[in-house]
Amino acid sequence: MTAPTGAPLTTGVDRWRRALVIANPAASRAGRDLVDEITAACRPHADELSVYWTRYAGDAQRATRECAAAGVDLVISVGGDGTIREVAEGISRSGAARPALLPVPAGGGNSVCRGVWGSEDGAGILDAAFDPRRARIRRLDLLHAAELDRTALLGVSSGLLAEILVAARDESPDLVGRERYYAAAPRAMAAMSGHPCRVTVDDVVVFDGRASVVNVGGGRYRAFALQLLPHSVLDDGLADVCVLADMSGAELAELAPAVAAGTHLGDPRVTHARGRRVVVERTDGEPLVIEYDGEVAEAPVSTLTLDVLPGALPFVAPTVPVAG
């Protein structure tokens, strides 16, 4: 029987017909030894198992989409949040029967894994992922950014988070992942200037002024440690929105511990909302500085329309949700 549109190819987790490991060699910990450990853990649970090493940006999305069309029903993503995003986008564009995604954290941020699997490392995730008593298929929401034609799982933001990613390009190549991001953060915060914007959620304007950060998601965590969206649920069909009003670098640094703890929503400089469609407009007509799941958007747009794609991503998750 043909699966309905968007349906996962299986409802169990202990047996898969065709599994594909997609590994990003640019990820900080995605070496061959780790991939060998992953294939050893997966092989008893898959009739067929293959490994693909990505070669360029966007390759994971392409490989996922093509392999889904060939009947792959499980994709194991080995890398960071960027690799997961590409695989998720490939799954969301793969048509009627969608493979499930199993993440193994091997990058710098790993916020997706933290949001779904909590403190489990790669070995702990693999130990639980094929046990029906401990894991299940969870249908996660995705965000579609219309003007960019990109999907995101963690979230999309304008302002400081994106500015830090831009600044990180100038950091030492010896720094990778979170270390590179955190090294760039003080410089970006010192130079930070709020951008004039309007944020509309389901046709209601929730913010109109200068903002330091507009974050829409998605995942509770960004940059692994920041709980910008502490109440976000990844499969409730809603996007959470957090806007930090225009602040100096010193004020942002003072607020950072509350953001890390997820206790910042009561601050009068913070706006929080939920909805199915979010529109972020830069009111001076200048382009927004945008990132989606940690990737800086290169297309110059001054308006960004974000729509929730409910349950678009079959995801191997713990039976008892730990977060997100």
Side-chain angles (χ1 to χ4, degrees), residues 57-150:
D59 197 21
Q61 177 189 332
R62 179 202 59 78
T64 299
R65 190 173 64 250
E66 292 180 1
C67 291
V72 165
D73 54 353
L74 176 67
V75 179
I76 301 103
S77 172
V78 186
D81 293 324
T83 308
I84 291 176
R85 191 209 70 78
E86 284 197 20
V87 171
E89 179 145 12
I91 290 172
S92 73
R93 296 176 185 268
S94 62
R98 296 179 177 179
L101 192 161
L102 171 60
V104 177
N110 301 320
S111 295
V112 172
C113 288
R114 183 176 186 186
V116 178
W117 283 93
S119 60
E120 292 283 7
D121 60 9
I125 292 172
L126 288 169
D127 185 56
F130 301 105
D131 183 349
R133 297 166 301 177
R134 301 167 62 195
R136 64 185 175 101
I137 304 298
R138 186 177 174 190
R139 300 299 302 266
L140 304 187
D141 304 332
L142 293 172
L143 277 176
H144 180 252
E147 289 80 5
L148 305 176
D149 193 24
R150 292 288 185 271

Side-chain angles (χ1 to χ4, degrees), residues 199 201 204 206 215 217 229 239-243 265 271-275 278:
V199 181
V201 180
V204 176
V206 299
N215 185 58
L229 303 175
D240 277 43
V241 182
C242 177
V243 183
L265 297 186
T271 299
H272 178 252
R274 285 195 182 99
V278 181

Side-chain angles (χ1 to χ4, degrees), residues 27-29 79-81 106-111 176-179 223-224:
S28 56
R29 293 184 288 114
D81 293 324
N110 301 320
S111 295
V176 296
R178 290 199 298 271
E179 291 75 18
F224 191 76

Side-chain angles (χ1 to χ4, degrees), residues 157-321:
S157 77
S158 65
L160 180 60
L161 300 183
E163 296 280 6
I164 294 174
L165 288 168
V166 172
R169 294 170 173 171
D170 296 328
E171 292 296 327
S172 167
D174 295 334
L175 297 174
V176 296
R178 290 199 298 271
E179 291 75 18
R180 189 180 184 91
Y181 187 87
Y182 292 148
R187 181 158 47 88
M189 290 171 67
M192 185 66 201
S193 176
H195 57 296
C197 67
R198 181 184 303 114
V199 181
T200 305
V201 180
D202 292 344
D203 299 322
V204 176
V205 175
V206 299
F207 181 88
D208 194 342
R210 296 186 70 87
S212 297
V213 179
V214 179
N215 185 58
V216 184
R220 295 184 180 187
Y221 293 94
R222 302 304 307 271
F224 191 76
L226 300 176
Q227 288 194 76
L228 274 164
L229 303 175
H231 304 311
S232 181
V233 178
L234 284 168
D235 54 2
D236 64 354
L238 297 172
D240 277 43
V241 182
C242 177
V243 183
L244 305 186
D246 190 15
M247 290 180 243
S248 67
E251 289 173 313
L252 287 166
E254 289 175 0
L255 187 63
V259 175
T263 59
H264 59 292
L265 297 186
D267 190 290
R269 299 166 294 180
V270 177
T271 299
H272 178 252
R274 285 195 182 99
R276 291 175 172 81
R277 167 170 283 193
V278 181
V279 180
V280 182
E281 304 168 83
R282 179 141 181 168
T283 52
D284 62 358
E286 292 296 312
L288 292 159
V289 182
I290 303 166
E291 61 81 27
Y292 52 98
D293 285 7
E295 182 173 339
V296 177
E298 302 298 340
V301 299
S302 57
T303 298
L304 191 62
T305 306
L306 302 167
D307 290 299
V308 178
L309 306 178
L313 180 64
F315 199 99
V316 181
T319 303
V320 178

